[in-house]
Amino acid sequence: MDTDYDAIVIGGGSAGLSFARHAAGHGRKIALIERDKLGGTCVNRGCVPKKMLWTVADSLHRGTGLTRAGLLGPTPQVDMPRLCAARAAKLEDIRQSYRDKLHEAGVTLIEETAELTAPGEVTIQGQRLRAPRIVLATGGHPIKPDMPGAELACDSDEVLNWTELPRAMAIIGGGYIGCEMAAIHAAMGVRVTLVTDTERVLTEFSEKAALVGQANMQAQGIRIVTSCTPEAVRRGDDGLELVLDADSVLSVDKVVAATGRAPNLEALGDLKARVALTEKGVIRIDERFETSLPGLHAVGDCADRLPLTPVASSDGETLALQLFGDYRSPVDLRHVATSAYVLPPVAEVGQPSKEDIFEENTLSPLSAALRSDAAQDYWGLGGSEAAVTSVSLVAEGAHEAIGWAAQMLLHRPDRATIRRALGVHPSTSEEAMG
């Protein structure tokens, strides 16, 4: 094994893979070290398996509404073994494609556990590798609440690997991960109760969009308990019990903790004390993704950026350009589109607040005339008539449309200009554009 490189990246998720391939593309000698499976959280425990489950859930959700209205026959059942097999095959294909791309780029892939033992030095099973630039792309992991019996709860990683569906489940946490798990499993026939310590769910999104999303979840049959901090998880006579308070106990088959994530910092070893963290516990970085330890950079979920795959991939490429190509500034996080895969999706770009929204509407889509549990749609524009700076959407296809809205907002259009583009009829986008 070679021991000297231009850069060593620890972590083979979206950020690390992007950095390694682009840095190697500039003719640099790069090593990528991954202790687990290539692809990181997104491919193995996040976006990809979640989206595959959501695809099934979305189809079931639409069909169920038509079935209850008497327009379709019985709702089909999920064939979990076949779904799990399809998921496993897809994930392996993606991992192999990453392996092939690294090989084509000339990146040295090392599948071991690494530890930073000195500035510019990484140790693997006693062997020392050196580079003037070390890049941490170690990602993060789900954390469980500090309560008795928390070890009995599943985390989001485990949920995405279930091979059987429970009859009933309770989810702790009303962020987008908890809400996605709730919507997906409710559509697949599970009785779902979601418990959050906040006054509403989807606090990552603007208030009105989140409230419409919450109402849609409740119309789907999900029980939502707000402003409640569960006290314990314990074994019951037939499954688990989630203790809400002295008078309220939920009896379920599974409890899922969707209560946040923390960065993986084990690779820092004894140097962790020399690396500054933010109040959130992630690594503090500057505009060049450099940490408080010179020569050590951080990208992806372990760094102080949005923990989203497109951001991680973009930041990895940007860092490679900064170190070995032409300087490029990091993407402005205001231009990052986000979506919660509930049913229908909630999506936003521009980081709108309640005060920013100057025009909005909640409406019933045409499908409401046919489905007994039809969701409400919503759109909102933020900024001003002179310069639209944010878009909020709740509608079928919102997760696709919001990316195009992000492109539009780069040019800060005025409201009159937006009205000159005509949408498809009938659609929610038509309402927002008109």
Side-chain angles (χ1 to χ4, degrees), residues 411-427:
H411 304 286
R412 291 292 188 268
D414 59 78
R415 184 66 173 109
T417 297
I418 292 177
R419 289 193 177 97
R420 296 300 299 162
L422 303 181
V424 174
H425 179 76
S427 69

Side-chain angles (χ1 to χ4, degrees), residues 32 41 60 128 139-140 203 225 232 275 314 330 342 352 377 382 384 400 417:
L32 184 147
T41 296
L60 288 169
R128 297 181 180 181
T203 54
V225 180
V275 178
S314 175
V342 289
D377 285 359
S384 67
E400 299 286 355
T417 297

